[in-house]
Amino acid sequence: MNKIFFYVALFLLVFSNCKKNQPPIYEPVDPVDTIKVPIDTPPVSTHIIDLGKGFALNNGVDWSPTFEATFHYKTTARFYFGAKAVLSYLSYDSFTIQDIPCEVGKYPIEYPTTQASLTNKIPQASFSYIRDYDIPVGNFRADTTRNDHFVEIIRYDSVEQTVEGRFQVFLKKEPMNTYWPNIPDSIAMTEGRFHLKIKKP
């Protein structure tokens, strides 16, 4: 009888301490919390501008018409690039840097003085205002009083035929007989950059 009483008392003692809604001592861990899911992020581009694009500040104003690059008509060792900003059916502005070597490097920009200057692998730059469809009212060449003009090739891919680089040039208006209002005496093309596919002529 004493043994039965002992076991009943033990049973009541043990189960009287257990509460119905008492959480377990060790809570289960959600397996999702322990899985480290990698975040898929695209690689950061090392290009200075998107392929097919060009940009410059034209006298401090953003200038980004369609830029194009073309190999020299006699060789693939040199190329030129330029852009035409169409203002209306009858008016546009045109900018070009030509005779650029297809090699990584930083090149000065010269004012051409002879025909031979156009093929000496020293780049030349020009800017023109064209009005009334075909009338040049402002032709600009590199300012010879400055020596801080340059075009820099930072990447050239001869297989993909793409080129990427920077440029800066300060141009001075050449004397003309044609007068047109609001044509500046000089043009500063600064913070220029380009990333282009070079076309065949």
Side-chain angles (χ1 to χ4, degrees):
M1 187 73 172
N2 287 337
K3 285 185 178 181
I4 293 173
F5 178 79
F6 172 78
Y7 285 118
V8 170
L10 183 62
F11 177 82
L12 292 173
L13 180 64
V14 170
F15 284 96
S16 66
N17 288 332
C18 293
K19 296 180 181 176
K20 186 175 181 182
N21 296 324
Q22 182 176 352
I25 296 173
Y26 298 104
E27 292 188 20
V29 177
D30 188 346
V32 175
D33 291 341
T34 64
I35 300 172
K36 302 297 182 186
V37 181
I39 299 173
D40 224 1
T41 55
V44 177
S45 174
T46 59
H47 297 290
I48 59 174
I49 195 169
D50 292 337
L51 181 61
K53 300 289 185 181
F55 171 84
L57 292 178
N58 180 340
N59 284 346
V61 178
D62 288 4
W63 199 75
S64 56
T66 302
F67 277 65
E68 293 184 342
T70 307
F71 284 115
H72 189 276
Y73 75 99
K74 286 186 177 180
T75 177
T76 57
R78 303 193 307 276
F79 76 101
Y80 66 91
F81 74 87
K84 181 187 286 189
V86 178
L87 308 177
S88 70
Y89 177 70
L90 298 176
S91 302
Y92 65 89
D93 301 339
S94 176
F95 172 67
T96 304
I97 299 181
Q98 62 184 15
D99 204 21
I100 309 167
C102 293
E103 299 174 16
V104 171
K106 191 172 183 179
Y107 305 95
I109 295 175
E110 69 173 354
Y111 182 99
T113 55
T114 65
Q115 189 68 26
S117 299
L118 302 177
T119 56
N120 62 3
K121 291 189 177 182
I122 301 176
Q124 307 91 36
S126 64
F127 195 103
S128 296
Y129 287 95
I130 307 297
R131 300 294 180 264
D132 285 351
Y133 191 68
D134 60 355
I135 300 174
V137 296
N139 289 331
F140 298 78
R141 297 281 188 173
D143 185 347
T144 57
T145 65
R146 305 184 64 129
N147 60 5
D148 50 353
H149 320 288
F150 70 86
V151 56
E152 179 182 16
I153 307 303
I154 60 174
R155 289 188 183 91
Y156 173 68
D157 188 326
S158 60
V159 176
E160 296 296 326
Q161 295 185 332
T162 58
V163 65
E164 185 174 2
R166 300 181 178 89
F167 65 91
Q168 172 177 281
V169 60
F170 300 90
L171 305 113
K172 190 173 181 181
K173 186 182 177 193
E174 298 192 316
M176 299 185 72
N177 292 328
T178 306
Y179 169 77
W180 200 271
N182 302 319
I183 300 298
D185 291 328
S186 61
I187 296 175
M189 298 293 281
T190 57
E191 298 185 29
R193 54 189 183 271
F194 57 92
H195 184 192
L196 304 168
K197 176 90 172 176
I198 307 178
K199 303 183 301 181
K200 293 182 179 178

